[in-house]
Amino acid sequence: KNQVEQSPQSLIILEGKNCTLQCNYTVSPFSNLRWYKQDTGRGPVSLTIMTFSENTKSNGRYTATLDADTKQSSLHITASQLSDSASYICVVNSGTYKYIFGTGTRLKVLA
Amino acid sequence: GAGVSQSPSNKVTEKGKDVELRCDPISGHTALYWYRQSLGQGLEFLIYFQGNSAPDKSGLPSDRFSAERTGGSVSTLTIQRTQQEDSAVYLCASSTTSGSPYEQYFGPGTRLTVT
């Protein structure tokens, strides 16, 4: 069964600290892996998209990694800000329009 | 430019009533997706439209759910005889189909509450 599992479920950190969110997947076929940020009451917004051959991609303070052999990905947030408080969703694209979504990690950044 | 818009943003309805949710995709995007997001769950695929092709309805949970896309643009998701388990956020997304991988752009969602 195609699955995307994320950990931790929730996380609280202090402003300025770094954190890493994890994503493990069992999805076949694999096309690409995406990380989305979803603010409360909003739709998800894309942070990074990585294909099979890419093992790291950055978007500002966000850096995603992908290990296609172990089927693991991580999202590292550097120097967190209050505005980083959101849910972060890992998504695996399996085929043209098939997307398997994780349940997300809810991050709260405290001042 | 304008993003994906959805209306209404919130809808409270009584059990048994019908509801219509609307999605306006980004102009020029040929692909349109509907998802359902329940509390604590990942986004659940409902239906996919691509141009003039027959939609993939494989994610619709029951025959009370239907969707259409008129003129290749605006889409409406209809839920008939609503049940309490239909309460969720319904998200619409659109994308182009040129230049893989395709970026999905999501609307803000419609929060449906069935009382």
Side-chain angles (χ1 to χ4, degrees), chain A residues 65-96:
Chain A
T65 66
L66 173 64
D67 185 334
D69 292 331
T70 62
K71 299 188 177 181
Q72 295 180 324
S73 177
S74 66
L75 180 68
H76 186 76
I77 305 175
T78 304
S80 60
Q81 301 177 357
L82 297 178
S83 59
D84 292 332
S85 295
S87 287
Y88 292 84
I89 303 172
C90 176
V91 185
V92 177
N93 181 202
S94 173
T96 304

Side-chain angles (χ1 to χ4, degrees), chain B residues 37-109:
Chain B
Q37 187 174 34
S38 303
L39 198 62
Q41 304 293 317
L43 272 69
E44 174 191 5
F45 168 78
L46 295 177
I47 189 168
Y48 168 75
F49 294 92
Q50 166 50 30
N52 296 321
S53 302
D56 180 345
K57 305 179 181 181
S58 61
L60 295 178
S62 77
D63 58 9
R64 295 186 294 105
F65 288 72
S66 63
E68 62 177 22
R69 188 178 185 191
T70 53
S73 181
V74 171
S75 177
T76 303
L77 177 68
T78 301
I79 308 174
Q80 296 179 309
R81 305 181 303 280
T82 52
Q83 303 295 311
Q84 288 186 330
E85 61 262 29
D86 299 335
S87 295
V89 176
Y90 290 82
L91 289 162
C92 172
S94 71
S95 73
T96 66
T97 52
S98 60
S100 178
Y102 314 131
E103 186 73 73
Q104 273 190 317
Y105 296 88
F106 283 84

Side-chain angles (χ1 to χ4, degrees), chain A:
Chain A
K1 181 183 176 184
N2 286 333
Q3 277 189 316
V4 175
E5 296 182 345
Q6 294 186 242
S7 62
Q9 201 169 22
S10 62
L11 182 62
I12 300 174
I13 61 173
L14 293 176
E15 188 178 15
K17 298 296 186 183
N18 304 336
C19 67
T20 301
L21 313 181
Q22 301 291 342
C23 173
N24 295 338
Y25 62 92
T26 53
V27 178
S28 181
F30 174 93
S31 180
N32 56 73
L33 184 144
R34 301 156 184 242
W35 282 94
Y36 286 88
K37 178 186 179 187
Q38 186 175 22
D39 292 311
T40 301
R42 301 287 188 101
V45 174
S46 178
L47 295 175
T48 62
I49 302 176
M50 288 182 292
T51 60
F52 187 88
S53 59
E54 298 174 293
N55 56 24
T56 187
K57 183 163 277 191
S58 292
N59 178 358
R61 295 179 296 103
Y62 300 102
T63 299
T65 66
L66 173 64
D67 185 334
D69 292 331
T70 62
K71 299 188 177 181
Q72 295 180 324
S73 177
S74 66
L75 180 68
H76 186 76
I77 305 175
T78 304
S80 60
Q81 301 177 357
L82 297 178
S83 59
D84 292 332
S85 295
S87 287
Y88 292 84
I89 303 172
C90 176
V91 185
V92 177
N93 181 202
S94 173
T96 304
Y97 62 90
K98 298 288 189 182
Y99 296 86
I100 315 301
F101 290 78
T103 55
T105 292
R106 187 181 296 273
L107 174 66
K108 189 167 182 63
V109 181
L110 300 179

